[in-house]
Amino acid sequence: SSGINAEYGEFEHRDLHWGNVLIMETDTKLVEFTQNSKNYILKSHGLLATIIDFTFSRLETEGCLNFVDMEQEEWLFNGDVKADIQYRVYRDMRSACRKNWAKFTPKTNVLWILYLLDKMNAKIRSIKLKRLRQSLQSCKSATVALPLVFRSL
């Protein structure tokens, strides 16, 4: 998860639209992982998600910084929000980092979590998802947001 990766290095995915989340069925009943020295065990509900495409990701670890200056990708910010709300996320990220793509801006991970909740809610219309989205709105990082998500499952 983005929160888990953010713990081990300053990580932002920066392009976590629904085409970059692969979901497959699994027989595994529980998923276990650790975040901020806390162990989590979650029900899989028969699904396993994998995040792909780290092209626009930002990671700084052990003094090494890797990022893409997304200002060079102007098409991302000109996309039609009516066609897909992911273009709103690119604009919101640009605003959050103030066009400084080298800077660690953990809020961008939260913006993508909110986007994914919006996409899911558009398909299944859940009051629970709507409430979760409202509770995550003010989170400044996925590390803060994910425990709220886990408690809601």
Side-chain angles (χ1 to χ4, degrees), residues 51 58 70 85 135:
I51 295 172
R58 181 214 180 271
M70 293 179 73
I85 60 172
S135 70

Side-chain angles (χ1 to χ4, degrees), residues 59-148:
L59 176 66
E60 184 171 6
T61 184
E62 298 178 9
C64 182
L65 173 62
N66 292 290
F67 74 98
V68 171
D69 181 359
M70 293 179 73
E71 290 306 305
Q72 305 305 312
E73 309 295 334
E74 191 63 35
W75 63 273
L76 291 171
F77 309 107
N78 294 327
D80 184 0
V81 175
K82 292 177 185 169
D84 196 319
I85 60 172
Q86 80 186 54
Y87 296 108
R88 182 189 72 221
V89 181
Y90 298 125
R91 292 175 191 141
D92 290 347
M93 285 195 314
R94 179 189 240 178
S95 176
C97 77
R98 296 183 172 105
K99 298 184 182 183
N100 180 357
W101 298 99
K103 178 183 165 207
F104 180 49
T105 310
K107 179 71 176 183
T108 66
N109 289 328
V110 176
L111 294 171
W112 284 108
I113 292 169
L114 295 171
Y115 158 86
L116 290 169
L117 287 171
D118 287 344
K119 283 293 198 179
M120 286 187 279
N121 200 40
K123 296 289 182 193
I124 60 175
R125 301 280 183 213
S126 164
I127 192 72
K128 187 176 181 180
L129 285 177
K130 193 172 184 176
R131 284 188 195 133
L132 176 59
R133 190 194 193 292
Q134 289 170 342
S135 70
L136 298 179
Q137 192 77 35
S138 63
C139 293
K140 294 184 187 214
S141 74
T143 304
V144 172
L146 287 177
L148 298 172

Side-chain angles (χ1 to χ4, degrees), residues 17-76:
H17 58 78
W18 67 339
N20 286 338
V21 180
L22 304 180
I23 299 174
M24 65 181 212
E25 292 182 0
T26 182
D27 293 331
T28 303
K29 302 288 185 218
L30 301 174
V31 178
E32 299 179 49
F33 61 92
T34 303
Q35 180 188 8
N36 290 337
S37 302
K38 183 173 179 177
N39 295 320
Y40 290 91
I41 301 173
L42 301 175
K43 293 179 185 175
S44 72
H45 298 282
L47 299 173
L48 182 63
T50 302
I51 295 172
I52 63 168
D53 190 356
F54 297 88
T55 303
F56 293 128
S57 294
R58 181 214 180 271
L59 176 66
E60 184 171 6
T61 184
E62 298 178 9
C64 182
L65 173 62
N66 292 290
F67 74 98
V68 171
D69 181 359
M70 293 179 73
E71 290 306 305
Q72 305 305 312
E73 309 295 334
E74 191 63 35
W75 63 273
L76 291 171

